[in-house]
Amino acid sequence: MKIGTQNQAFFPEGILAKFQYIKNMGFDGFEIDGKLLVNNLAEVKAAIAETGLPVISACGGYDGWIGDFIEERRLNGLQQIAAILRALAEVGAKGIVVPAAWGMFTYRLPPMTSPRSVAGDRLAVSSSLKFLDGIAADTGTKIFLEPLNRYQDHMINLLSDARRYIEENQLHHTQIIGDFYHMSIEEDDISAALHQHRDLLGHVHIADNHRYQPGSGSLDFARHFNQLKQDGYDGYAVYECRVRAADPAKAYQDSLDYLRTLR
């Protein structure tokens, strides 16, 4: 299993310097912001060629959720995601991470009454996914549909929720991403959920239970990584976390060194 990372505030700002830094830390790949990729495609290609560090996937970098309440924003987001998928194809990356929405509404905090029906939610998300699945087919990429926790999204919280969308809409270029942080809130057992949905699991995000760097909290990474290995998962586990430490660069390196002993 390969380990990748998203950007961190302590990484260099320049694209080539960023790629060099990530490679020197010992990461196997970079999950890039979609807007950074699209707006700097030639420079990203050059950084990949010089360092040999691949872009694995994209996360973020677009405006408008696939399940957005505002139709104009949803449609705008779809066009931006399509552009990111085309750019990902140009650098040989796998695909883009896409949740239904983030921070738009939750049943767990007031007003607790959604402005749209459950049927309306399903229609919007399904329509978006069918469109993006077609773009993914054309570009040879994947959509990684991400369940978020109940406080950040009200539509897709469990891996089984994502599976339902994929199966009901007969999506052939959409897979599930399992995020350890969200799963620690929503799933009864992280390893059991990873195993149950192993046939559709295409990508993994990692953070500890409190969203900080792996190894600094209470999650059993050895158990969950072992489950992934037993199930033959050969994709990436990508850091999506904050860093809590006086020396964030050292803490990040220590965390990676720890996980590399488990993979």
Side-chain angles (χ1 to χ4, degrees):
M1 182 166 49
K2 300 174 285 292
I3 301 177
T5 183
Q6 294 183 355
N7 193 41
Q8 287 288 346
F10 58 86
F11 288 179
E13 283 296 317
I15 290 175
L16 176 58
K18 193 185 303 289
F19 272 70
Q20 290 171 330
Y21 188 88
I22 291 169
K23 182 176 182 178
N24 289 339
M25 286 194 84
F27 285 102
D28 301 305
F30 182 32
E31 182 166 275
I32 197 168
D33 175 83
K35 187 174 293 186
L36 179 68
L37 173 64
V38 170
N39 291 345
N40 303 275
L41 185 56
E43 195 172 351
V44 170
K45 285 182 177 180
I48 294 170
E50 182 160 337
T51 64
L53 182 80
V55 169
I56 312 158
S57 48
C59 186
Y62 55 90
D63 306 303
W65 305 113
I66 65 169
D68 214 297
F69 289 148
I70 299 173
E71 183 68 359
E72 182 179 1
R73 200 162 58 195
R74 182 182 74 85
L75 295 174
N76 182 58
L78 293 180
Q79 293 304 314
Q80 292 176 335
I81 294 170
I84 295 168
L85 286 170
R86 295 184 186 104
L88 287 168
E90 288 202 41
V91 298
K94 292 173 60 180
I96 187 170
V97 175
V98 178
W102 180 87
M104 191 172 73
F105 174 76
T106 172
Y107 288 118
R108 303 297 174 174
L109 296 170
M112 298 183 185
T113 301
S114 175
R116 186 173 62 196
S117 67
V118 172
D121 286 343
R122 295 201 66 77
L123 180 62
V125 173
S126 294
S127 177
S128 295
L129 288 173
K130 288 176 184 177
F131 170 78
L132 293 176
D133 198 72
I135 301 297
D138 292 341
T139 56
T141 57
K142 297 289 185 183
I143 304 299
F144 298 124
L145 184 57
E146 182 175 27
L148 304 185
N149 72 75
R150 69 197 76 172
Y151 305 104
Q152 296 180 0
D153 176 49
H154 68 293
M155 290 176 277
I156 303 178
N157 304 128
L158 298 165
L159 299 197
S160 59
D161 296 335
R163 183 181 200 99
R164 181 183 172 191
Y165 273 101
I166 293 170
E167 292 181 342
E168 289 187 355
N169 291 292
Q170 299 180 47
L171 306 174
H172 300 293
H173 303 276
T174 302
Q175 296 178 316
I176 299 169
I177 168 174
D179 183 301
F180 282 19
Y181 167 70
H182 297 299
M183 294 177 74
S184 73
I185 298 172
E186 295 297 335
E187 303 287 351
D188 294 335
D189 184 310
I190 291 174
S191 285
L194 292 170
H195 178 68
Q196 181 180 355
H197 301 285
R198 62 195 180 279
D199 58 320
L200 285 178
L201 187 71
H203 201 54
V204 171
H205 274 172
I206 51 176
D208 223 309
N209 65 292
H210 44 25
R211 188 48 112 181
Y212 291 102
Q213 69 271 20
S216 64
S218 62
L219 291 190
D220 190 346
F221 282 89
R223 176 173 176 247
H224 305 323
F225 272 33
N226 187 56
Q227 185 66 63
L228 290 169
K229 285 188 289 185
Q230 287 182 11
D231 291 335
Y233 177 74
D234 61 356
Y236 282 85
V238 176
Y239 274 63
E240 185 185 47
C241 66
R242 303 181 184 92
V243 184
R244 181 158 62 186
D247 185 343
K250 182 180 184 304
Y252 214 59
Q253 184 70 67
D254 289 346
S255 175
L256 174 59
D257 292 345
Y258 159 64
L259 288 190
R260 289 174 70 182
T261 68
L262 305 178
R263 63 179 180 173

